[in-house]
Amino acid sequence: MKPHSGTTVINVSSRPMEKSGKQIVMSGIRPTGILHLGNYFGALKNYLRMQDEYECYFMIADLHSLTTHPDTNELRKNVLHVISEYLACGLDPEKVALYCQSSIYQTSELYFYLNTLAYKGELEKTTTFKDKARLQPQNINAALLTYPVLMTADILLHRALYVPVGKDQEQHLEMARNFAARFNHRYAEVFPEPVAFNFGQELVKVPSLDGTGKMSKSENQNATLYLSDSDELIRKKIMKAKTDEGPKAPGTPKPDYIENLFQLVRLTGAEDVYNKFEADYSNCNIRYGDMKKQLAEEMIRFMAPIREKAEAIRNDEKYLAEVLEKGAFKARRSAEATMQLVRQSIGIKYF
Ligand code: TYM
């Protein structure tokens, strides 16, 4: 498609917030349940590292949650849960904008414009759409189909370049780049093409403890470690993880469920522990009971302080409301600056 004849040349550098000279980062987590280790290692850990160097927008994707969780009885509780865990993990509301997706009204406007650039066929082919449609055949709503378009609106609203996410969001980011490129081509060069981000490494997929699939907010809860799990529950879940009798000959490849346990040890950052059990595996004298005990203690070491801090913050609703309002104010300002460029470039601003 050719740019329409009324295309205005937009000076992208005119965006006031970019005067900070920092690259823009945006990401979010749905409040569909409580946060787990997949959310932590796939997303939050990167948020924490990025908050000092980048201009960051981190939100709670409450609109997205309506596509799969139309019953909103638990929504408020879950939103407070997520924001308290964001803060307990160390996100600093003085440095980053923390807000709810629904507080940024410009999201719906950009979502509409982007919907005109997205095609039914490509949306129907999205893996997450096909998975969710299988899980909820009675509720294949239009917003489920256009889920990646709303996600693109969240990102492009701030003209973000980097999007810290886990492996499962890779396809959505590819679609976001396509939608951004189509907009730029059709109207004017407004948007950077955003990329999924994980500090110098492959995107992370945190496996579930039962050796099948990934940790998830609502599926296989006994095989998922939640940030709010007690020490005892963490031990219990890890000790139940599937193992076997160990390798019988040097060079035996690790089965998936064993590889997963090693991956979890690696994620805790306990390199000495990882190296010890790697060596034990190679020498065929690994004791999985010991490995799981050690893994549980490493997990508790970093999860317990987050849980305790989140519990302490969670009841201070006045503070949480202030944090979300401050973040929404900053995010709306950034969104409105982008939307002025968007409206102008589409030609929807008549006077
Ligand atoms: P959600 O809520 O499913 O997941 C939030 C973040 O956690 C990551 N994640 C994982 N990473 C590794 N291993 C796992 N087992 C695991 N489970 C979850 C996800 O990759 C994600 O980074 N569509 C998004 C929410 C969203 C968003 C956005 C993200 C809405 N708008 C804009 C980025 C930018 C989602 O469903 O996340």
Side-chain angles (χ1 to χ4, degrees):
M1 269 192 270
K2 285 202 188 101
H4 74 136
S5 53
T7 298
T8 322
V9 177
I10 303 287
N11 176 7
V12 185
S13 64
S14 66
R15 182 169 182 258
M17 305 277 293
E18 279 172 1
K19 283 198 185 127
S20 69
K22 292 179 175 173
Q23 293 284 13
I24 311 225
V25 172
M26 193 277 142
S27 194
I29 299 183
R30 284 172 306 149
T32 47
I34 49 184
L35 299 191
H36 54 77
L37 278 192
N39 300 132
Y40 183 84
F41 287 113
L44 262 163
K45 193 169 175 219
N46 282 318
Y47 299 2
L48 294 172
R49 281 186 64 186
M50 295 178 105
Q51 66 179 337
D52 291 316
E53 288 170 49
Y54 298 89
E55 182 177 316
C56 297
Y57 297 85
F58 298 132
M59 57 88 173
I60 300 173
D62 51 352
L63 299 179
H64 272 110
S65 75
L66 297 178
T67 64
T68 50
H69 291 63
D71 178 352
T72 51
N73 279 335
E74 302 273 283
L75 184 58
R76 182 172 189 275
K77 193 178 101 208
N78 287 343
V79 165
L80 296 185
H81 210 105
V82 176
I83 186 67
S84 62
E85 282 175 344
Y86 271 2
L87 294 164
C89 285
L91 285 178
D92 180 350
E94 298 298 322
K95 292 183 188 157
V96 305
L98 299 173
Y99 56 99
C100 278
Q101 187 182 29
S102 59
S103 308
I104 315 302
Y105 312 116
Q106 290 88 346
T107 311
S108 307
E109 186 185 356
L110 184 55
Y111 173 52
F112 175 79
Y113 297 138
L114 294 173
N115 267 319
T116 67
L117 299 164
Y119 299 105
K120 178 172 162 274
E122 64 185 335
L123 295 169
E124 279 171 346
K125 278 192 221 137
T126 315
T127 311
T128 48
F129 172 71
K130 288 194 284 190
D131 288 348
K132 284 175 184 151
R134 234 189 331 268
L135 284 172
Q136 52 183 65
Q138 76 299 349
N139 182 20
I140 307 178
N141 57 78
L144 194 63
L145 182 67
T146 55
Y147 185 111
V149 186
L150 180 57
M151 187 164 154
T152 306
D154 296 329
I155 299 166
L156 298 188
L157 259 186
H158 304 295
R159 293 199 282 148
L161 180 62
Y162 296 127
V163 185
V165 283
K167 181 99 185 135
D168 58 317
Q169 299 295 311
E170 206 167 28
Q171 190 183 26
H172 289 163
L173 261 297
E174 194 184 315
M175 296 174 84
R177 282 193 291 283
N178 287 338
F179 301 148
R182 278 179 214 163
F183 184 99
N184 291 344
H185 181 68
R186 178 78 183 86
Y187 298 115
E189 284 283 332
V190 172
F191 299 119
E193 292 181 23
V195 288
F197 186 88
N198 179 26
F199 276 95
Q201 285 170 29
E202 281 279 288
L203 299 182
V204 175
K205 174 184 161 186
V206 178
S208 74
L209 290 167
D210 61 7
T212 59
K214 59 174 181 125
M215 285 196 189
S216 128
K217 288 199 207 87
S218 37
E219 292 160 50
N220 56 6
Q221 302 192 349
N222 286 328
T224 293
L225 292 173
Y226 296 96
L227 295 183
S228 55
D229 282 348
S230 66
D231 294 355
E232 202 183 324
L233 194 54
I234 295 170
R235 286 193 191 99
K236 202 167 136 197
K237 286 181 179 178
I238 292 181
M239 292 316 286
K240 274 197 183 151
K242 180 175 173 182
T243 52
D244 52 29
E245 289 175 347
K248 297 274 178 283
T252 309
K254 295 188 190 98
D256 283 353
Y257 50 91
I258 297 296
E259 185 58 55
N260 290 350
L261 280 183
F262 273 91
Q263 199 197 332
L264 289 170
V265 176
R266 196 184 304 122
L267 285 170
T268 66
E271 235 175 273
D272 47 339
V273 179
Y274 180 84
N275 291 339
K276 177 205 173 318
F277 287 107
E278 231 353 295
D280 289 352
Y281 187 90
S282 304
N283 300 330
C284 301
N285 60 2
I286 189 157
R287 293 158 62 118
Y288 288 128
D290 291 351
M291 181 175 169
K292 290 198 277 189
K293 266 191 208 143
Q294 185 85 45
L295 172 61
E297 294 318 307
E298 295 300 334
M299 283 296 177
I300 290 168
R301 196 168 50 80
F302 99 91
M303 287 170 71
I306 296 176
R307 179 186 67 227
E308 284 157 17
K309 208 163 165 201
E311 278 166 9
I313 298 171
R314 197 162 303 136
N315 293 326
D316 191 349
E317 292 195 7
K318 187 165 169 282
Y319 172 62
L320 297 181
E322 275 167 19
V323 166
L324 288 174
E325 192 35 57
K326 184 183 165 85
F329 181 81
K330 187 172 172 192
R332 276 197 288 265
R333 210 162 48 138
S334 152
E336 187 49 33
T338 302
M339 289 314 294
Q340 285 180 15
L341 296 178
V342 167
R343 292 176 204 122
Q344 190 187 343
S345 60
I346 295 177
I348 221 146
K349 195 167 172 243
Y350 304 114
F351 303 102

